[in-house]
Amino acid sequence: MKAPRLLNVRAAVCHGVGEPLRLETVQLAPPAADEVLIEIKASGLCHSDYHQMTGVSTPYPFPVILGHEGAGVVAECGAAVETVRPGDHVVPLSIGECGHCRNCRSGKTNLCLEFFAGMQAPPRRFSIDGRPVAAYANNGTFASFIVMKERNVARIRRDVAFDLACTIGCAVATGVGAVLYTARVERNASVAVFGLGGIGLNVVQGARHAGATMIIGIDVNPAREVLARRFGATHFINPQQQSGNVVEHLRALTGGGVDYSFECVGSTQLMFQALECTRAGWGVCTALGVPPDGERLPILPFDLQLGRTLKGSFLGNVKTRSQLPGLLDLYADGELNLADLVTHRLPLERINEGFDLLREGRSVRTVVTF
Ligand code: CU
Ligand code: ZN
Protein backbone atom coordinates (compact mmCIF):
# COMPACT_ATOMS: atom_id res chain seq x y z
CA MET A 1 0.00 0.00 0.00
CA LYS A 2 1.40 3.37 -0.91
CA ALA A 3 1.59 5.96 1.84
CA PRO A 4 -0.99 8.72 1.44
CA ARG A 5 0.40 12.04 0.28
CA LEU A 6 0.54 14.40 3.22
CA LEU A 7 -0.40 18.05 2.86
CA ASN A 8 1.82 20.72 4.33
CA VAL A 9 -0.27 23.30 6.19
CA ARG A 10 0.41 26.29 8.42
CA ALA A 11 -0.72 26.00 12.02
CA ALA A 12 -0.37 27.56 15.46
CA VAL A 13 0.77 24.67 17.65
CA CYS A 14 0.70 24.47 21.46
CA HIS A 15 3.54 22.27 22.72
CA GLY A 16 2.79 22.36 26.44
CA VAL A 17 1.08 24.05 29.37
CA GLY A 18 2.05 27.70 29.69
CA GLU A 19 3.76 27.87 26.31
CA PRO A 20 2.79 30.41 23.67
CA LEU A 21 1.53 29.05 20.38
CA ARG A 22 4.21 28.46 17.76
CA LEU A 23 3.54 28.99 14.09
CA GLU A 24 4.90 26.10 12.08
CA THR A 25 4.38 23.83 9.13
CA VAL A 26 2.56 20.62 10.00
CA GLN A 27 1.50 17.66 7.92
CA LEU A 28 -2.16 16.82 7.36
CA ALA A 29 -3.49 13.48 6.10
CA PRO A 30 -5.73 13.95 3.06
CA PRO A 31 -9.48 13.31 3.32
CA ALA A 32 -10.74 9.71 3.30
CA ALA A 33 -13.84 8.76 1.31
CA ASP A 34 -16.27 10.19 3.89
CA GLU A 35 -14.17 13.24 4.73
CA VAL A 36 -13.83 16.83 3.61
CA LEU A 37 -10.76 19.06 3.27
CA ILE A 38 -11.56 22.60 4.44
CA GLU A 39 -9.49 25.72 3.86
CA ILE A 40 -9.93 27.75 7.07
CA LYS A 41 -10.55 31.47 6.49
CA ALA A 42 -11.24 32.66 10.03
CA SER A 43 -11.25 31.22 13.54
CA GLY A 44 -12.39 32.63 16.88
CA LEU A 45 -10.38 32.38 20.10
CA CYS A 46 -12.35 30.71 22.87
CA HIS A 47 -11.79 30.32 26.62
CA SER A 48 -11.71 26.54 26.18
CA ASP A 49 -8.65 26.88 23.94
CA TYR A 50 -7.09 29.08 26.60
CA HIS A 51 -7.90 26.56 29.34
CA GLN A 52 -5.97 23.91 27.40
CA MET A 53 -3.00 26.31 27.01
CA THR A 54 -2.94 27.14 30.71
CA GLY A 55 -3.63 23.62 31.96
CA VAL A 56 -6.92 24.50 33.67
CA SER A 57 -8.78 21.97 31.54
CA THR A 58 -6.75 19.81 29.17
CA PRO A 59 -8.95 17.36 27.33
CA TYR A 60 -6.32 16.87 24.57
CA PRO A 61 -2.70 15.73 24.72
CA PHE A 62 0.17 17.99 23.70
CA PRO A 63 1.31 18.96 21.16
CA VAL A 64 -2.08 20.17 20.04
CA ILE A 65 -3.48 22.51 17.40
CA LEU A 66 -6.13 24.56 19.17
CA GLY A 67 -9.16 26.23 17.63
CA HIS A 68 -12.73 24.97 17.29
CA GLU A 69 -14.64 28.04 16.08
CA GLY A 70 -13.69 28.16 12.42
CA ALA A 71 -15.25 28.94 9.09
CA GLY A 72 -13.90 28.26 5.65
CA VAL A 73 -14.35 26.83 2.19
CA VAL A 74 -14.53 23.22 1.09
CA ALA A 75 -11.36 22.52 -0.90
CA GLU A 76 -11.78 18.82 -1.63
CA CYS A 77 -14.27 16.02 -0.91
CA GLY A 78 -13.74 12.29 -0.50
CA ALA A 79 -15.42 10.02 -3.06
CA ALA A 80 -18.42 9.18 -0.84
CA VAL A 81 -19.25 12.74 0.21
CA GLU A 82 -22.68 13.82 -1.00
CA THR A 83 -23.92 16.84 0.90
CA VAL A 84 -21.13 19.41 0.39
CA ARG A 85 -19.07 20.37 -2.65
CA PRO A 86 -15.82 22.20 -3.25
CA GLY A 87 -16.45 25.92 -2.93
CA ASP A 88 -19.19 25.59 -0.29
CA HIS A 89 -18.85 27.82 2.75
CA VAL A 90 -18.81 25.68 5.88
CA VAL A 91 -18.34 25.57 9.63
CA PRO A 92 -16.62 22.48 11.09
CA LEU A 93 -18.02 21.10 14.36
CA SER A 94 -16.89 18.71 17.06
CA ILE A 95 -20.41 17.31 17.29
CA GLY A 96 -21.54 15.81 14.02
CA GLU A 97 -25.06 15.01 12.95
CA CYS A 98 -25.25 11.65 11.22
CA GLY A 99 -29.02 11.99 11.06
CA HIS A 100 -29.83 8.32 11.64
CA CYS A 101 -28.45 7.22 15.03
CA ARG A 102 -30.78 6.87 18.01
CA ASN A 103 -29.74 10.26 19.41
CA CYS A 104 -30.08 12.11 16.12
CA ARG A 105 -33.58 10.67 15.66
CA SER A 106 -34.66 11.35 19.25
CA GLY A 107 -35.47 15.00 18.72
CA LYS A 108 -34.09 15.52 22.22
CA THR A 109 -30.38 16.06 21.84
CA ASN A 110 -27.70 17.30 19.46
CA LEU A 111 -25.26 14.69 20.80
CA CYS A 112 -25.00 12.36 17.81
CA LEU A 113 -23.67 8.98 18.96
CA GLU A 114 -20.72 9.38 16.60
CA PHE A 115 -19.56 12.21 18.86
CA PHE A 116 -18.95 9.81 21.72
CA ALA A 117 -17.10 7.44 19.42
CA GLY A 118 -14.88 10.35 18.36
CA MET A 119 -14.11 11.14 22.00
CA GLN A 120 -13.05 7.55 22.63
CA ALA A 121 -10.79 7.36 19.59
CA PRO A 122 -9.93 10.84 18.34
CA PRO A 123 -8.69 10.91 14.76
CA ARG A 124 -4.99 11.77 14.39
CA ARG A 125 -4.74 13.64 11.12
CA PHE A 126 -2.00 16.12 11.93
CA SER A 127 1.68 15.31 12.44
CA ILE A 128 5.08 16.97 12.52
CA ASP A 129 7.86 14.88 10.98
CA GLY A 130 5.84 11.74 11.64
CA ARG A 131 5.01 12.57 15.29
CA PRO A 132 1.26 12.88 15.92
CA VAL A 133 -0.26 16.27 16.78
CA ALA A 134 -3.72 16.42 18.39
CA ALA A 135 -6.51 18.71 17.22
CA TYR A 136 -8.62 20.50 19.82
CA ALA A 137 -12.24 19.32 19.70
CA ASN A 138 -11.06 17.20 16.74
CA ASN A 139 -11.10 20.50 14.80
CA GLY A 140 -7.80 22.38 15.11
CA THR A 141 -9.02 25.45 13.28
CA PHE A 142 -5.79 27.37 14.00
CA ALA A 143 -4.48 25.47 10.98
CA SER A 144 -4.85 26.77 7.42
CA PHE A 145 -6.47 23.48 6.33
CA ILE A 146 -8.29 20.81 8.32
CA VAL A 147 -9.99 17.52 7.49
CA MET A 148 -13.38 16.63 8.98
CA LYS A 149 -15.95 13.88 8.52
CA GLU A 150 -18.78 14.99 6.26
CA ARG A 151 -21.21 14.66 9.18
CA ASN A 152 -19.12 17.20 11.13
CA VAL A 153 -19.42 19.88 8.47
CA ALA A 154 -22.30 22.38 8.38
CA ARG A 155 -22.88 24.22 5.13
CA ILE A 156 -23.65 27.90 5.70
CA ARG A 157 -24.99 30.76 3.60
CA ARG A 158 -22.38 32.52 1.48
CA ASP A 159 -23.29 36.13 2.21
CA VAL A 160 -21.91 36.35 5.75
CA ALA A 161 -18.21 37.20 6.12
CA PHE A 162 -16.10 34.35 7.49
CA ASP A 163 -14.86 36.43 10.45
CA LEU A 164 -18.46 36.75 11.68
CA ALA A 165 -19.79 33.41 10.48
CA CYS A 166 -17.19 31.45 12.46
CA THR A 167 -18.73 32.58 15.76
CA ILE A 168 -21.77 30.34 15.27
CA GLY A 169 -19.48 27.31 15.64
CA CYS A 170 -18.99 27.87 19.38
CA ALA A 171 -20.00 31.11 21.12
CA VAL A 172 -23.30 31.76 19.33
CA ALA A 173 -24.37 28.11 19.27
CA THR A 174 -23.55 27.68 22.96
CA GLY A 175 -25.26 30.88 24.12
CA VAL A 176 -28.19 31.39 21.79
CA GLY A 177 -28.70 27.64 21.51
CA ALA A 178 -28.88 27.27 25.29
CA VAL A 179 -31.76 29.76 25.35
CA LEU A 180 -33.68 28.30 22.40
CA TYR A 181 -32.86 24.58 22.52
CA THR A 182 -31.80 23.82 26.10
CA ALA A 183 -33.78 26.02 28.51
CA ARG A 184 -36.43 26.96 25.89
CA VAL A 185 -37.02 30.42 27.31
CA GLU A 186 -40.49 31.77 26.50
CA ARG A 187 -41.92 35.25 25.99
CA ASN A 188 -42.09 37.57 28.99
CA ALA A 189 -39.68 35.42 31.01
CA SER A 190 -37.09 36.81 33.42
CA VAL A 191 -33.52 35.70 32.78
CA ALA A 192 -30.27 36.05 34.77
CA VAL A 193 -26.95 35.63 32.96
CA PHE A 194 -23.81 35.04 35.07
CA GLY A 195 -20.74 36.12 33.10
CA LEU A 196 -20.93 38.39 30.06
CA GLY A 197 -18.17 37.07 27.82
CA GLY A 198 -18.63 35.51 24.40
CA ILE A 199 -21.11 32.95 25.70
CA GLY A 200 -23.00 35.19 28.14
CA LEU A 201 -23.62 37.97 25.61
CA ASN A 202 -25.07 35.36 23.29
CA VAL A 203 -27.36 34.15 26.04
CA VAL A 204 -28.45 37.76 26.46
CA GLN A 205 -29.25 38.24 22.79
CA GLY A 206 -30.86 34.80 22.58
CA ALA A 207 -33.12 35.78 25.49
CA ARG A 208 -34.05 39.02 23.73
CA HIS A 209 -34.85 37.05 20.58
CA ALA A 210 -37.02 34.68 22.63
CA GLY A 211 -39.00 37.64 23.97
CA ALA A 212 -37.78 37.69 27.58
CA THR A 213 -38.74 40.98 29.18
CA MET A 214 -36.28 41.07 32.05
CA ILE A 215 -32.69 40.18 31.18
CA ILE A 216 -30.25 40.67 34.04
CA GLY A 217 -26.55 40.56 33.21
CA ILE A 218 -24.08 39.86 36.03
CA ASP A 219 -20.34 40.48 35.71
CA VAL A 220 -17.49 41.83 37.83
CA ASN A 221 -16.11 43.72 34.81
CA PRO A 222 -17.91 47.11 34.77
CA ALA A 223 -17.01 47.58 31.10
CA ARG A 224 -19.41 44.75 30.24
CA GLU A 225 -22.50 46.77 31.19
CA VAL A 226 -22.62 48.88 28.02
CA LEU A 227 -22.03 45.82 25.86
CA ALA A 228 -24.64 43.74 27.66
CA ARG A 229 -27.26 46.45 27.24
CA ARG A 230 -26.43 46.65 23.54
CA PHE A 231 -27.16 42.92 23.26
CA GLY A 232 -30.45 43.25 25.12
CA ALA A 233 -29.80 43.27 28.86
CA THR A 234 -32.33 45.33 30.79
CA HIS A 235 -30.43 45.23 34.10
CA PHE A 236 -26.79 44.91 35.12
CA ILE A 237 -25.35 43.78 38.44
CA ASN A 238 -21.70 44.04 39.40
CA PRO A 239 -21.35 41.74 42.44
CA GLN A 240 -18.29 43.68 43.59
CA GLN A 241 -20.23 46.93 43.76
CA GLN A 242 -23.30 45.32 45.23
CA SER A 243 -23.80 45.31 48.97
CA GLY A 244 -25.21 42.00 50.16
CA ASN A 245 -25.82 38.78 48.41
CA VAL A 246 -26.46 38.56 44.63
CA VAL A 247 -29.00 35.76 45.06
CA GLU A 248 -31.08 37.83 47.48
CA HIS A 249 -30.81 40.82 45.18
CA LEU A 250 -32.05 38.81 42.18
CA ARG A 251 -34.94 37.38 44.20
CA ALA A 252 -35.96 40.87 45.28
CA LEU A 253 -35.65 42.27 41.76
CA THR A 254 -37.92 39.56 40.30
CA GLY A 255 -40.35 39.09 43.16
CA GLY A 256 -39.14 35.63 44.14
CA GLY A 257 -36.53 34.47 41.65
CA VAL A 258 -35.79 34.41 37.92
CA ASP A 259 -37.56 32.03 35.55
CA TYR A 260 -34.25 31.10 33.88
CA SER A 261 -30.61 31.47 34.80
CA PHE A 262 -27.44 30.69 32.87
CA GLU A 263 -23.92 30.21 34.22
CA CYS A 264 -21.40 31.19 31.56
CA VAL A 265 -18.13 31.40 33.50
CA GLY A 266 -17.24 27.87 34.56
CA SER A 267 -17.33 28.50 38.31
CA THR A 268 -19.04 25.86 40.43
CA GLN A 269 -19.62 28.57 43.04
CA LEU A 270 -21.55 30.63 40.48
CA MET A 271 -23.47 27.57 39.28
CA PHE A 272 -24.72 27.12 42.83
CA GLN A 273 -25.81 30.78 42.96
CA ALA A 274 -27.39 30.50 39.52
CA LEU A 275 -29.50 27.57 40.70
CA GLU A 276 -30.48 29.28 43.95
CA CYS A 277 -31.60 32.51 42.27
CA THR A 278 -34.22 30.72 40.15
CA ARG A 279 -37.82 30.76 41.22
CA ALA A 280 -39.07 27.90 43.38
CA GLY A 281 -41.73 25.97 41.48
CA TRP A 282 -40.37 26.21 37.95
CA GLY A 283 -36.98 27.94 37.77
CA VAL A 284 -34.51 26.44 35.32
CA CYS A 285 -30.75 26.88 35.68
CA THR A 286 -28.54 26.00 32.72
CA ALA A 287 -24.83 25.44 33.40
CA LEU A 288 -22.71 26.32 30.36
CA GLY A 289 -19.27 27.27 31.70
CA VAL A 290 -16.47 24.70 31.80
CA PRO A 291 -15.01 24.42 35.34
CA PRO A 292 -11.39 23.39 36.00
CA ASP A 293 -10.73 19.64 35.59
CA GLY A 294 -12.01 17.57 38.51
CA GLU A 295 -14.29 20.14 40.16
CA ARG A 296 -17.61 18.99 41.63
CA LEU A 297 -20.80 20.97 41.87
CA PRO A 298 -22.23 21.21 45.41
CA ILE A 299 -26.00 21.49 45.27
CA LEU A 300 -28.71 21.29 47.90
CA PRO A 301 -31.21 18.56 47.03
CA PHE A 302 -33.89 20.74 48.61
CA ASP A 303 -33.32 23.40 45.92
CA LEU A 304 -34.36 20.77 43.36
CA GLN A 305 -37.17 19.41 45.52
CA LEU A 306 -38.64 22.90 45.43
CA GLY A 307 -39.29 22.40 41.73
CA ARG A 308 -36.13 23.85 40.25
CA THR A 309 -34.35 22.21 37.34
CA LEU A 310 -30.62 22.14 36.68
CA LYS A 311 -29.56 21.48 33.09
CA GLY A 312 -26.54 21.67 30.89
CA SER A 313 -25.78 21.41 27.22
CA PHE A 314 -22.96 21.10 24.76
CA LEU A 315 -23.05 23.62 21.92
CA GLY A 316 -26.39 24.78 23.25
CA ASN A 317 -28.08 21.52 22.19
CA VAL A 318 -28.18 22.88 18.64
CA LYS A 319 -28.24 20.15 16.01
CA THR A 320 -25.14 21.03 14.10
CA ARG A 321 -26.16 20.39 10.49
CA SER A 322 -29.93 20.88 10.49
CA GLN A 323 -30.27 23.76 12.97
CA LEU A 324 -26.95 25.57 13.34
CA PRO A 325 -26.86 27.25 9.90
CA GLY A 326 -30.21 28.85 10.81
CA LEU A 327 -28.39 31.01 13.37
CA LEU A 328 -26.92 32.94 10.45
CA ASP A 329 -30.44 33.50 9.12
CA LEU A 330 -31.26 35.12 12.46
CA TYR A 331 -28.20 37.34 11.99
CA ALA A 332 -29.24 38.24 8.44
CA ASP A 333 -32.74 39.09 9.71
CA GLY A 334 -31.25 41.48 12.26
CA GLU A 335 -32.23 39.26 15.20
CA LEU A 336 -28.67 38.51 16.27
CA ASN A 337 -25.74 40.89 16.59
CA LEU A 338 -22.45 39.34 15.49
CA ALA A 339 -20.66 42.57 14.59
CA ASP A 340 -20.28 43.69 18.21
CA LEU A 341 -19.23 40.21 19.26
CA VAL A 342 -16.06 40.26 17.17
CA THR A 343 -14.10 43.04 18.84
CA HIS A 344 -10.67 42.21 17.42
CA ARG A 345 -9.23 40.74 14.24
CA LEU A 346 -5.64 39.57 13.87
CA PRO A 347 -3.66 37.63 11.31
CA LEU A 348 -2.82 34.08 12.44
CA GLU A 349 0.80 35.18 13.00
CA ARG A 350 -0.35 37.39 15.90
CA ILE A 351 -2.58 34.83 17.60
CA ASN A 352 -0.74 35.08 20.93
CA GLU A 353 -1.75 38.75 21.17
CA GLY A 354 -5.33 37.57 20.82
CA PHE A 355 -4.95 35.32 23.88
CA ASP A 356 -3.44 38.27 25.80
CA LEU A 357 -6.60 40.27 25.02
CA LEU A 358 -8.74 37.34 26.15
CA ARG A 359 -6.84 36.91 29.42
CA GLU A 360 -7.09 40.62 30.20
CA GLY A 361 -10.82 40.64 29.46
CA ARG A 362 -10.36 43.35 26.81
CA SER A 363 -11.90 41.38 23.94
CA VAL A 364 -15.20 39.62 23.54
CA ARG A 365 -14.15 37.59 20.55
CA THR A 366 -10.84 37.89 18.75
CA VAL A 367 -10.89 36.23 15.35
CA VAL A 368 -7.72 35.24 13.55
CA THR A 369 -7.80 35.37 9.79
CA PHE A 370 -5.77 33.42 7.28
CU1 CU B 1 -15.44 27.36 22.38
ZN1 ZN C 1 -26.19 10.67 14.87
Side-chain angles (χ1 to χ4, degrees):
M1 210 182 98
K2 75 175 180 18
R5 99 206 124 90
L6 295 175
L7 308 163
N8 280 318
V9 309
R10 216 156 44 96
V13 184
C14 186
H15 285 271
V17 168
E19 288 186 36
L21 304 187
R22 262 197 348 235
L23 221 73
E24 47 199 307
T25 300
V26 303
Q27 285 78 50
L28 173 62
D34 63 344
E35 293 181 336
V36 177
L37 176 70
I38 302 168
E39 180 180 5
I40 298 295
K41 296 289 192 182
S43 182
L45 276 56
C46 178
H47 269 98
S48 325
D49 300 311
Y50 187 64
H51 285 341
Q52 170 90 32
M53 289 171 70
T54 52
V56 169
S57 174
T58 54
Y60 295 86
F62 294 97
V64 58
I65 300 172
L66 301 174
H68 57 277
E69 193 180 76
V73 178
V74 173
E76 194 183 312
C77 293
V81 171
E82 291 180 335
T83 57
V84 292
R85 289 190 304 215
D88 281 349
H89 293 199
V90 293
V91 164
L93 297 144
S94 59
I95 306 176
E97 185 179 349
C98 77
H100 51 256
C101 73
R102 186 173 173 192
N103 285 15
C104 279
R105 284 187 288 112
S106 70
K108 295 181 178 182
T109 180
N110 64 342
L111 294 173
C112 172
L113 288 175
E114 303 283 0
F115 170 68
F116 298 101
M119 288 211 303
Q120 291 300 317
R124 285 281 177 269
R125 300 182 176 110
F126 289 109
S127 56
I128 299 176
D129 301 330
R131 285 174 296 113
V133 177
Y136 194 89
N138 299 337
N139 278 232
T141 54
F142 298 153
S144 54
F145 286 84
I146 66 169
V147 167
M148 301 293 291
K149 294 279 182 203
E150 177 183 16
R151 61 174 176 267
N152 291 74
V153 176
R155 193 175 64 211
I156 57 167
R157 50 193 293 160
R158 308 175 69 92
D159 59 351
V160 181
F162 292 111
D163 58 8
L164 297 181
C166 66
T167 60
I168 68 165
C170 182
V172 178
T174 304
V176 176
V179 173
L180 303 182
Y181 298 106
T182 309
R184 300 177 199 276
V185 171
E186 70 275 351
R187 296 196 71 75
N188 299 322
S190 56
V191 175
V193 186
F194 290 77
L196 299 167
I199 308 294
L201 290 172
N202 276 299
V203 170
V204 169
Q205 65 173 338
R208 174 171 62 183
H209 170 66
T213 42
M214 199 173 197
I215 304 171
I216 308 157
I218 302 144
D219 203 298
V220 292
N221 180 351
R224 290 290 149 118
E225 175 166 7
V226 175
L227 260 176
R229 290 189 187 273
R230 196 178 302 158
F231 281 83
T234 58
H235 297 68
F236 178 80
I237 296 174
N238 181 343
Q240 289 178 347
Q241 287 168 3
Q242 179 72 40
S243 57
N245 171 311
V246 175
V247 172
E248 288 309 322
H249 187 62
L250 286 164
R251 283 181 182 155
L253 202 58
T254 52
V258 297
D259 298 316
Y260 296 94
S261 69
F262 296 85
E263 199 280 347
C264 312
V265 176
S267 151
T268 50
Q269 185 71 32
L270 284 183
M271 287 175 188
F272 182 62
Q273 288 186 12
L275 177 65
E276 290 228 299
C277 78
T278 63
R279 190 175 184 86
W282 63 72
V284 176
C285 169
T286 304
L288 297 174
V290 179
D293 285 342
E295 277 202 19
R296 301 296 175 98
L297 177 57
I299 57 171
L300 299 174
F302 192 58
D303 279 342
L304 301 179
Q305 285 148 4
L306 280 178
R308 298 183 177 96
T309 302
L310 176 61
K311 324 181 82 169
S313 60
F314 202 105
L315 274 179
N317 201 23
V318 181
K319 284 176 172 286
T320 50
R321 302 195 83 200
S322 56
Q323 294 174 329
L324 185 112
L327 295 171
L328 288 182
D329 298 337
L330 292 179
Y331 163 71
D333 294 343
E335 286 289 311
L336 294 182
N337 177 354
L338 303 184
D340 288 316
L341 211 55
V342 179
T343 50
H344 298 76
R345 291 169 176 80
L346 292 170
L348 180 66
E349 290 69 25
R350 292 171 60 190
I351 190 167
N352 287 308
E353 292 171 48
F355 281 108
D356 292 342
L357 292 166
L358 180 147
R359 182 183 55 246
E360 292 156 14
R362 290 196 283 140
S363 54
V364 178
R365 263 316 193 242
T366 295
V367 170
V368 289
T369 51
F370 291 73

